[in-house]
Amino acid sequence: MRTTRYLWIRIACSLLVSGLALGGAESVFADDSTEAVGQVTAISGFVVAERPGKPPRPLHCQDHVYRGERIVTSDSARVGVLMDDVYAYLAPSTNLRVDRTPEASSDLTLESGAVRVIDPRNHGTAARLTALDASAQVLGNDTEAYLFSEKTGRYAMLCEWDAPLSVTRRDESVLASPGKCVLAKPKEPLYLADAHDERIALPTDDLCDRPIGALDLRLTPDVAAAPLAPWSIAGSAGPGLARATCDAGCPGVVVVVPPPVSPVGGFPGSGP
């Protein structure tokens, strides 16, 4: 059950005339063919973009990120990147590589840490979210990916909160319904577990002061809803995703509302 409390993040039509659209971005690299695939819309702390053969490039509000770059957050930093209609929010101590799929959709590879990926679309080509050797097709989803380590090695966990999520690994395939996580451990088949209630929240205090396009941030209070919490892997539940129609006929409207809290707390167990 969704509450009436919601956070609008609107990328309005003025994005097309603001001069900040990705299509008009100029490359900062010697190779002018380098393609911008995303733009920073929220940031807190020290975040860099890394590219082979180049020194780390500190990121700031409205900076673009380019194909093949790795976005790296320090242990107290976080960053939100808009990639077409897909929003990726990186937790502290996270490495995320960004690219394009052969179908020209967003391609995100989690190399360490945790990321939340929100896709408000109802149709189109799915974005790809990969963690180790597990890959999810993201289209109309609100997905979190985590990387953990244990004695047997690193493993991935992909959790879904909004719509069924398909996760594959080689010849395996598992469909996670909202409120479920897929665990991918190196010596076990993919398996489902109940989702945790320790979400990656979307804070409201690190949005860019002059965001891309016309970012419209509105908060409608609901006495039945808890306040939005800052990001914390052990913090309170963060917001989920709903959709709305742009009243100005513009694309890229995202409505974020808190989801119901999973009845099962804590991270899934170590076995199926």
Side-chain angles (χ1 to χ4, degrees):
M1 179 182 301
R2 301 188 184 281
T3 72
T4 57
R5 184 173 195 225
Y6 58 86
L7 175 67
W8 287 81
I9 302 180
R10 175 174 304 190
I11 310 303
C13 294
S14 59
L15 174 62
L16 301 177
V17 296
S18 66
L20 297 172
L22 293 181
E26 294 184 1
S27 174
V28 297
F29 303 113
D31 178 7
D32 291 336
S33 66
T34 302
E35 177 189 354
V37 295
Q39 192 165 19
V40 174
T41 62
I43 190 167
S44 175
F46 186 65
V47 182
V48 299
E50 297 178 345
R51 182 177 174 83
K54 302 287 183 180
R57 177 171 61 91
L59 290 178
H60 307 92
C61 274
Q62 303 177 7
D63 281 353
H64 292 94
V65 293
Y66 296 85
R67 289 197 66 169
E69 283 197 310
R70 177 184 293 107
I71 305 171
V72 181
T73 60
S74 66
D75 59 6
S76 60
R78 50 186 185 253
V79 66
V81 178
L82 185 67
M83 302 176 63
D84 296 325
D85 291 323
V86 177
Y87 184 70
Y89 194 80
L90 284 67
S93 302
T94 293
N95 291 4
L96 182 76
R97 184 160 45 83
V98 296
D99 210 323
R100 293 280 191 197
T101 67
E103 297 77 24
S105 61
S106 299
D107 190 4
L108 303 94
T109 301
L110 182 65
E111 297 180 339
S112 65
V115 64
R116 181 173 176 181
V117 178
I118 298 176
D119 185 346
R121 298 174 299 160
N122 291 312
H123 55 80
T125 304
R128 180 167 59 193
L129 174 60
T130 300
L132 298 180
D133 53 358
S135 182
Q137 298 297 307
V138 179
L139 180 63
N141 296 98
D142 181 359
T143 305
E144 294 175 342
Y146 299 85
L147 288 181
F148 299 110
S149 295
E150 58 183 13
K151 291 182 179 179
T152 58
R154 296 204 303 167
Y155 68 96
M157 181 171 72
L158 295 101
C159 301
E160 175 56 30
W161 303 95
D162 195 66
L165 179 75
S166 175
V167 179
T168 60
R169 183 178 64 178
R170 295 183 290 276
D171 58 348
E172 298 177 87
S173 180
V174 174
L175 187 67
S177 58
K180 293 289 185 179
C181 295
V182 177
L183 276 81
K185 296 193 173 184
K187 297 182 179 180
E188 300 177 24
L190 296 178
Y191 66 91
L192 290 169
D194 289 329
H196 53 89
D197 56 359
E198 291 145 351
R199 302 289 311 283
I200 300 175
L202 302 177
T204 61
D205 59 354
D206 60 358
L207 292 169
C208 294
D209 292 335
R210 185 173 175 268
I212 65 173
L215 187 69
D216 182 13
L217 181 64
R218 291 180 285 180
L219 186 65
T220 300
D222 180 349
V223 293
L228 294 175
W231 183 90
S232 171
I233 201 167
S236 58
L241 175 69
R243 299 174 183 82
T245 302
C246 179
D247 53 15
C250 310
V253 177
V254 179
V255 180
V256 182
V257 298
V261 175
S262 168
V264 179
F267 287 101
S270 58

